[in-house]
């Protein structure tokens, strides 16, 4: 089984759904660690409630990005982590993590990339008036929501939709889509 670390910066609803998918057997992997860069993030409470160790590591406490990521890398290696799953981790990943985890870091983003990368993707798409929005799971490189696309799910925006209803629908779909895509990917990697 793949040992994974989930990286999150905020609410952690995707962490929660990934954890539940591992418990139900839908996602054949073990979440051994949560990594969080924000000491006030709610994901820390969620991890505690699920009994998953959470490494809280604030970039402010380090002289530079390389030192910050080295501290995370040490923790990942100490926990024998095979694969990094970003779920609302709002930082760019640098070479210190990208090199040892080449092709083993994925992210979920709430838009049909390459459209609407960056912060508040759902708001950006809603304000642009697009009628099809969606979700992308992709490999992570040094860019902002760039890297090879693994899978996407399109979602129609209806006349009566508001920003809030669209946001709620995207989150709900993310919670089933991400475990499914990861499970397929892990199965492929295990076979190789
Ligand atoms: C999710 O919608 C995820 O797709 C998005 O942050 C949210 C985190 O929610 N990620 C990005 O925008 C990455 N650029 P959560 O903390 O409740 O899982």
């Amino acid at each position: 089984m793949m040992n994974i670390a989930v990286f999150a910066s905020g609410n952690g609803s995707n962490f929660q759904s990934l954890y539940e998918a591992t418990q139900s057997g839908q996602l054949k992997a073990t979440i051994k660690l949560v990594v969080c860069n924000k000491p006030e993030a709610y994901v820390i409470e969620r991890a505690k409630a699920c009994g998953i160790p959470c490494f809280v590591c604030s970039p402010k406490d380090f002289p530079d990005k390389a030192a910050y990521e080295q501290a995370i890398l040490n923790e990942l290696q100490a926990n024998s982590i095979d694969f990094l799953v970003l779920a609302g981790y709002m930082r760019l990943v640098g070479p210190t993590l990208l090199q040892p985890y080449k092709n083993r870091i994925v992210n979920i983003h709430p838009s049909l990339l390459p459209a609407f990368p960056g912060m508040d993707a759902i708001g950006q798409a809603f304000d642009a008036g697009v009628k099809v929005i969606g979700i992308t799971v992709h490999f992570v490189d040094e860019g902002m929501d760039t890297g090879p696309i693994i899978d996407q799910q399109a979602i129609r925006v209806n006349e009566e939709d508001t920003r809030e209803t669209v946001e709620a629908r995207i989150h709900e779909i993310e919670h089933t889509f991400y475990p499914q895509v990861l499970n397929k990917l892990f199965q492929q990697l295990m076979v190789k």
Side-chain angles (χ1 to χ4, degrees):
M1 268 248 260
M2 196 75 83
N3 285 336
I4 65 178
V6 176
F7 282 51
S9 305
N11 177 19
S13 67
N14 277 284
F15 155 72
Q16 185 84 43
S17 66
L18 291 168
Y19 172 74
E20 284 162 14
T22 61
Q23 295 306 103
S24 70
Q26 268 181 301
L27 173 57
K28 289 176 190 62
T30 308
I31 302 178
K32 288 198 77 181
L33 189 67
V34 170
V35 175
C36 178
N37 61 310
K38 295 256 184 207
E40 69 283 4
Y42 185 58
V43 70
I44 299 168
E45 299 303 313
R46 291 187 190 264
K48 209 179 285 174
C50 297
I52 308 285
C54 185
F55 182 58
V56 183
C57 189
S58 179
K60 288 195 299 258
D61 298 337
F62 296 87
D64 55 30
K65 189 182 179 88
Y68 161 70
E69 289 194 338
Q70 185 61 51
I72 296 176
L73 183 61
N74 294 345
E75 198 67 21
L76 298 174
Q77 287 174 340
N79 283 279
S80 308
I81 301 296
D82 305 308
F83 205 97
L84 314 187
V85 173
L86 311 192
Y89 179 65
M90 297 305 192
R91 287 190 64 84
L92 292 179
V93 179
T96 309
L97 289 175
L98 284 169
Q99 271 160 19
Y101 284 98
K102 194 168 171 355
N103 297 326
R104 288 184 169 248
I105 313 181
V106 294
N107 181 43
I108 188 165
H109 183 74
S111 79
L112 293 174
L113 289 171
F116 311 118
M119 299 291 283
D120 191 24
I122 303 173
Q124 290 183 55
F126 193 77
D127 292 345
V130 297
K131 295 301 172 207
V132 179
I133 54 171
I135 301 163
T136 303
V137 177
H138 64 97
F139 287 108
V140 172
D141 62 13
E142 52 292 310
M144 165 105 68
D145 301 315
T146 53
I149 291 171
I150 300 166
D151 207 350
Q152 294 184 305
Q153 169 83 57
I155 299 153
R156 180 118 209 122
V157 179
N158 302 315
E159 263 326 295
E160 63 278 13
D161 267 320
T162 63
R163 196 194 146 111
E164 288 68 35
T165 60
V166 164
E167 206 151 32
R169 201 146 79 248
I170 289 224
H171 288 310
E172 195 185 317
I173 296 172
E174 279 187 327
H175 296 160
T176 50
F177 187 61
Y178 208 10
Q180 277 170 9
V181 173
L182 286 176
N183 200 47
K184 223 188 285 171
L185 182 68
F186 293 163
Q187 275 172 357
Q188 288 165 358
L189 289 172
M190 296 300 223
V191 168
K192 276 184 188 166

